[in-house]
Amino acid sequence: MRRLLRGGRVVDPSQELDETADVLIEDGKIAQVGPNLSGADEVIDCGGLAVTPGLIDMHVHLREPGNAEEETIASGSAAAVAGGFTSVACMPNTEPAIDNEASAEFVFLQAQRAGKARVYPIGSITKERKGEELSEMAGLARAGAVAFSDDGETVRNPEVMRRGLLYARMFDKPVIAHCEDPDLAGTGVMNRGVVSMMLGLPGRSRESEEIIVHRDMTLAEITGSRLHVAHLSSAGSVEILRRGRERGLAVTGEVSPHHIVLTEEHVRSYDPNFRMRPPLRTEKDRKALIEGLRDGTIGVIASDHAPHARERKEVEFAFAPDGVIGMETVLPLAVTELIGKGILTLSQLVRLLSTTPAEILGIPGGSLRVGGPADVTVIDLDSAWKIEKSRFRSKSRNCPFDGWEVKGRAAWTIVGGEVVFSLE
Ligand code: DOR
């Protein structure tokens, strides 16, 4: 089967490519990229659309096993491809946790059954994510876990974290750090500052994040391991990461769309859909995160898609669980807020959403190189639409962007040469 993507703007930062061209797909691989290609069984007209390497969301929570009413690997993969993602990496804070070979294999099996996006498990650093004993890291790596993380919690004991980093290095996998010191963060439910004081809500300080970014970078330096800092939220963290990278450490960082478009001011509504960990911070932090993206300090945008059941999330702010869904809104928010406002070029955005996540995780994709897998996202950058959470593929509805007018969305999502999503 030969499929031709005709006449799109082909943007592939891995090859410094940004030009109008055709892309020919054969047997699930990229067969040719160039002008006036022919000989296909099927043609998709990509005139006026951007053709990019398949987008990769390296930070999602799919809730399976354990909380299938919130999300399953099948519903999560459907949401992923609708959002333009051809691959996602899912966090191990499931019930039970993904802390052994069999549980990682289960993720691959369910993803294969779903037949939409590629889903890669992230194994936990510690057994049951308790922060005490290392999990079966060798077995997890053998089963294909792409990284290790206790996301949702910081590994409180630095010696355990040091050993986790050391083991991860043996398997050449990155450790993805959730950076929030539990003692400093305490029982806070939003950013600590003037707004939390006025609202009478307990706050989580920025230092609770920054001190762990610092600690984990130091441990990564000692062990020579690769560290990826998840969901950065504060200006101080960006600066610490910037300095570490300048010193040549193997550290990378990620930011979620909600931290680049929202601030703690939104919490004044007491809407639990503005509650997540780390919390939304100030305008100064938001601007520093955007600057981090612009200057290359932050290499990845990831959704931190965190589905929660309605009956648990739609309660008083102080009692709601942390997290918001995001796979179906990353692309429009990034196109609207970052490209639309002239902050990033499309090529820079594709690097953040595809090239760099593929490099960090060491997974196929992230490029339209001939011979590579035909994971492709065709993006309509000009399509203006309104986000309606009732239409999401995700099983959950905890989205803070409902009703937002945005621009840009996936028109076609292609995984291994097969069309797994097209805009109706
Ligand atoms: O807000 C969050 N929700 N932050 C996390 O780190 C975990 C996530 C979840 O699993 O709900």
Side-chain angles (χ1 to χ4, degrees), residues 56-63 85 87-93 120 122 146-147 149-153 176-179 228-232 253-259 277-278 300-307 323-327 330 353 357 361:
I56 299 170
D57 191 343
M58 65 176 288
H59 190 146
V60 306
H61 299 269
L62 297 184
R63 306 299 189 220
F85 292 101
S87 296
V88 300
C90 61
M91 285 296 174
N93 63 335
Y120 296 96
I122 295 168
V146 288
S149 180
D150 272 7
D151 184 63
E153 301 294 336
I176 304 177
H178 178 115
C179 296
H228 178 75
V229 182
H231 42 49
L232 290 154
E254 141 206 315
V255 68
S256 71
H258 43 271
H259 287 112
R277 266 181 309 127
V300 173
I301 297 177
S303 68
D304 196 4
H305 180 84
V324 297
I325 54 172
M327 280 191 280
V330 173
L353 284 173
L361 300 177

Side-chain angles (χ1 to χ4, degrees), residues 12-13 39 55 70 92 117 121 164 230 244 279 299 312 316 342 361 366 401 414 417-418 424:
D12 179 6
L55 306 183
E70 299 185 322
R312 291 205 319 123
E316 280 171 71
L361 300 177
F401 307 110
I414 298 169
E418 297 304 320
E424 62 291 334

Side-chain angles (χ1 to χ4, degrees), residues 15-333:
Q15 306 180 79
E16 310 270 328
L17 205 65
D18 187 346
E19 63 193 35
T20 301
D22 298 342
V23 176
L24 184 66
I25 295 168
E26 190 173 357
D27 296 333
K29 300 219 159 66
I30 305 286
Q32 236 180 311
V33 178
N36 307 317
L37 303 182
S38 57
D41 308 301
E42 188 188 300
V43 175
I44 297 177
D45 179 11
C46 295
L49 304 173
V51 177
T52 75
L55 306 183
I56 299 170
D57 191 343
M58 65 176 288
H59 190 146
V60 306
H61 299 269
L62 297 184
R63 306 299 189 220
E64 190 184 356
N67 286 289
E69 73 288 0
E70 299 185 322
E71 202 76 281
T72 59
I73 290 168
S75 65
S77 338
V81 297
F85 292 101
T86 55
S87 296
V88 300
C90 61
M91 285 296 174
N93 63 335
T94 45
E95 288 170 24
I98 302 170
D99 62 2
N100 60 66
E101 192 164 349
S103 53
E105 281 171 354
F106 169 77
V107 173
F108 283 117
L109 182 66
Q110 292 297 74
Q112 200 179 14
R113 284 183 178 143
K116 299 255 189 234
R118 301 184 200 268
V119 182
Y120 296 96
I122 295 168
S124 66
I125 302 170
T126 66
K127 275 190 188 154
E128 297 176 49
R129 298 175 50 259
K130 282 186 173 162
E132 293 162 4
E133 252 181 284
L134 291 186
S135 52
E136 293 172 24
M137 292 173 78
L140 284 162
R142 201 162 42 236
V146 288
F148 295 102
S149 180
D150 272 7
D151 184 63
E153 301 294 336
T154 287
V155 177
R156 192 182 203 132
N157 180 330
E159 171 57 11
V160 175
M161 186 63 170
R162 188 188 70 82
R163 275 190 278 127
L165 279 157
L166 212 49
Y167 272 78
R169 193 187 130 189
M170 288 201 307
F171 309 115
D172 192 24
K173 307 278 179 210
V175 166
I176 304 177
H178 178 115
C179 296
E180 281 189 301
D181 182 284
D183 299 306
L184 281 173
T187 55
V189 299
M190 68 172 294
N191 180 46
R192 186 154 89 194
V194 179
V195 179
S196 68
M197 218 159 70
M198 288 172 72
L199 297 180
L201 291 171
R204 300 172 89 77
S205 65
R206 61 190 59 249
E207 307 86 79
S208 66
E209 174 174 315
E210 291 160 9
I211 208 160
I212 299 293
V213 177
H214 229 310
R215 181 198 80 170
D216 287 353
M217 254 175 44
T218 305
L219 293 172
E221 183 168 15
I222 294 168
T223 52
S225 314
R226 286 196 285 140
L227 179 78
H228 178 75
V229 182
H231 42 49
L232 290 154
S233 76
S234 92
S237 300
V238 180
E239 189 49 32
I240 295 164
L241 182 65
R242 184 177 286 121
R243 277 189 265 127
R245 289 175 59 81
E246 278 165 8
R247 288 203 352 261
L249 303 185
V251 287
T252 51
E254 141 206 315
V255 68
S256 71
H258 43 271
H259 287 112
I260 50 183
V261 301
L262 304 172
T263 68
E264 62 177 5
E265 292 297 328
H266 289 88
V267 179
R268 289 185 190 277
S269 66
Y270 289 99
D271 178 347
N273 287 323
F274 296 107
R275 179 171 169 175
M276 70 289 290
R277 266 181 309 127
L280 299 171
R281 301 205 192 267
T282 65
E283 184 61 13
K284 182 171 154 266
D285 295 296
R286 193 183 75 84
K287 289 210 169 110
L289 292 165
I290 291 176
E291 182 52 27
L293 284 174
R294 234 193 30 77
D295 74 9
T297 301
I298 302 174
V300 173
I301 297 177
S303 68
D304 196 4
H305 180 84
H308 288 294
R310 221 172 208 150
E311 62 277 16
R312 291 205 319 123
K313 187 71 169 170
E314 291 177 13
V315 296
E316 280 171 71
F317 192 91
F319 301 111
D322 291 294
V324 297
I325 54 172
M327 280 191 280
E328 292 170 82
T329 48
V330 173
L331 186 58
L333 289 169

Side-chain angles (χ1 to χ4, degrees), residues 376-395:
V376 186
T377 305
V378 180
I379 305 171
D380 185 346
L381 291 165
D382 300 317
S383 156
W385 61 291
K386 186 163 137 183
I387 295 173
E388 287 174 87
K389 64 182 184 181
S390 60
R391 299 171 67 102
F392 285 164
R393 268 70 170 181
S394 169
K395 279 194 175 187

